Amino acid sequence: MKHGKHYVDSAKLYDGAQLFDIAEALDLCVKTAKAKFDETVEAHIRLGVDSRHADQQVRGAVVLPNGTGKTVRVAVICKEDKQEAAKAAGADYVGAEALVQKIQTENWMDFDVLIATPDMMGLVGRIGRILGPRGLMPSPKAGTVTPDVVKAVSEAKAGKIEYRLDKTNIIHCPIGKASFGTEKLQENFDTLMSAIVKAKPAAAKGQYIRSCVVASTMGPGVKINPSKFGV
């Protein structure tokens, strides 16, 4: 694979095989983010579980203390009695049947998070095939199926992120922007890792955190010593 000049220069700053402490790794991420835009810093965590088994799934959501640095567009599907409250909380789009129909017929996807009340999930189920592959299907585990739309909207706007295993048993999550600096990125990273450690399935055997890599959008990956997590 051929990399650009900035990537190659950044990769020379450290030994790619070395395992770093969390603060050191995030500091390197900030230093290697040399693009002209504010790069997103992501964490990639490989777990010692098997996502093919239902009792070894790891999924949830957590509010990052410093947000993600991204403006989140929130859509809410709820009955009319909760729509004004959802709008007041900051929802960008609010509706019921008409909103579902718009997604279904126009393939409209101008939102990053979809929140629904439990009594509307029968309606939302009609567009499950559209939402599912994009990771937008509301879920109780992620806190996006809830009767409290005000809280859900407020948390989404404040920087709530969802974490879940992919097919290769890795969790990929944004933890902020390079402009946040090392300290704020570490606060977000520690919050995410704490949630993932607490979500360890009872059926998981052996070492839980197998590896962890952090990287900016255009920068090389920096490996964190997994023994620091103690699981």
Side-chain angles (χ1 to χ4, degrees), residues 13-26:
L13 293 175
Y14 64 95
D15 178 0
Q18 185 177 342
L19 298 177
F20 294 89
D21 286 337
I22 297 165
E24 289 178 294
L26 292 171

Side-chain angles (χ1 to χ4, degrees), residues 76 82-95 149 153:
V76 178
K82 293 190 175 183
Q83 291 181 6
E84 285 305 316
K87 289 176 185 175
D92 300 275
Y93 309 101
V94 180
V149 293
V153 171

Side-chain angles (χ1 to χ4, degrees):
M1 183 183 235
K2 189 175 181 180
H3 294 293
K5 181 179 182 298
H6 289 314
Y7 182 101
V8 173
D9 288 344
S10 294
K12 291 177 182 176
L13 293 175
Y14 64 95
D15 178 0
Q18 185 177 342
L19 298 177
F20 294 89
D21 286 337
I22 297 165
E24 289 178 294
L26 292 171
D27 188 49
L28 281 168
C29 271
V30 172
K31 288 177 179 175
T32 56
K34 297 180 177 179
K36 292 180 180 178
F37 61 92
D38 192 5
E39 296 183 47
T40 297
V41 176
E42 289 193 346
H44 307 276
I45 305 111
R46 185 166 65 92
L47 301 182
V49 296
D50 188 342
S51 61
R52 294 173 298 177
H53 299 290
D55 62 352
Q56 293 187 46
Q57 289 294 325
V58 179
R59 182 178 184 181
V62 64
V63 179
L64 299 180
N66 299 301
T68 62
K70 178 183 176 183
T71 301
V72 181
R73 300 167 299 171
V74 179
V76 178
I77 296 175
C78 61
K79 290 186 177 177
E80 196 170 342
D81 62 334
K82 293 190 175 183
Q83 291 181 6
E84 285 305 316
K87 289 176 185 175
D92 300 275
Y93 309 101
V94 180
E97 287 86 353
L99 195 58
V100 169
Q101 189 173 10
K102 185 176 178 69
I103 295 170
Q104 192 170 25
T105 59
E106 300 176 24
N107 209 30
W108 176 78
M109 288 285 154
D110 290 344
F111 53 88
D112 304 298
V113 176
L114 180 62
I115 294 164
T117 51
D119 56 1
M120 299 299 283
M121 285 308 292
L123 191 63
V124 174
R126 298 179 193 171
I127 50 175
R129 289 185 179 180
I130 299 172
L131 300 172
R134 295 173 171 84
L136 292 169
M137 187 68 181
S139 157
K141 285 188 177 180
T144 46
V145 175
T146 173
D148 192 346
V149 293
V150 171
K151 181 183 178 184
V153 171
S154 298
E155 288 183 342
K157 287 289 186 178
K160 186 176 187 177
I161 60 167
E162 184 179 356
Y163 59 86
R164 59 179 168 179
L165 287 173
D166 67 8
K167 290 180 180 178
T168 60
N169 305 315
I170 299 174
I171 289 174
H172 309 272
C173 276
I175 55 170
K177 297 287 186 178
S179 62
F180 282 17
T182 304
E183 188 176 331
K184 286 186 176 180
L185 285 172
Q186 183 165 354
E187 288 175 358
N188 281 357
F189 178 83
D190 288 344
T191 300
L192 171 64
M193 290 306 299
S194 178
I196 291 173
V197 169
K198 285 180 181 176
K200 180 181 179 180
K205 305 297 181 186
Q207 186 177 352
Y208 180 52
I209 307 293
R210 293 287 178 86
S211 66
C212 180
V213 175
V214 288
S216 60
T217 306
M218 305 297 287
V222 186
K223 297 177 181 178
I224 293 174
N225 189 346
S227 67
K228 298 294 181 183
F229 306 110
V231 286

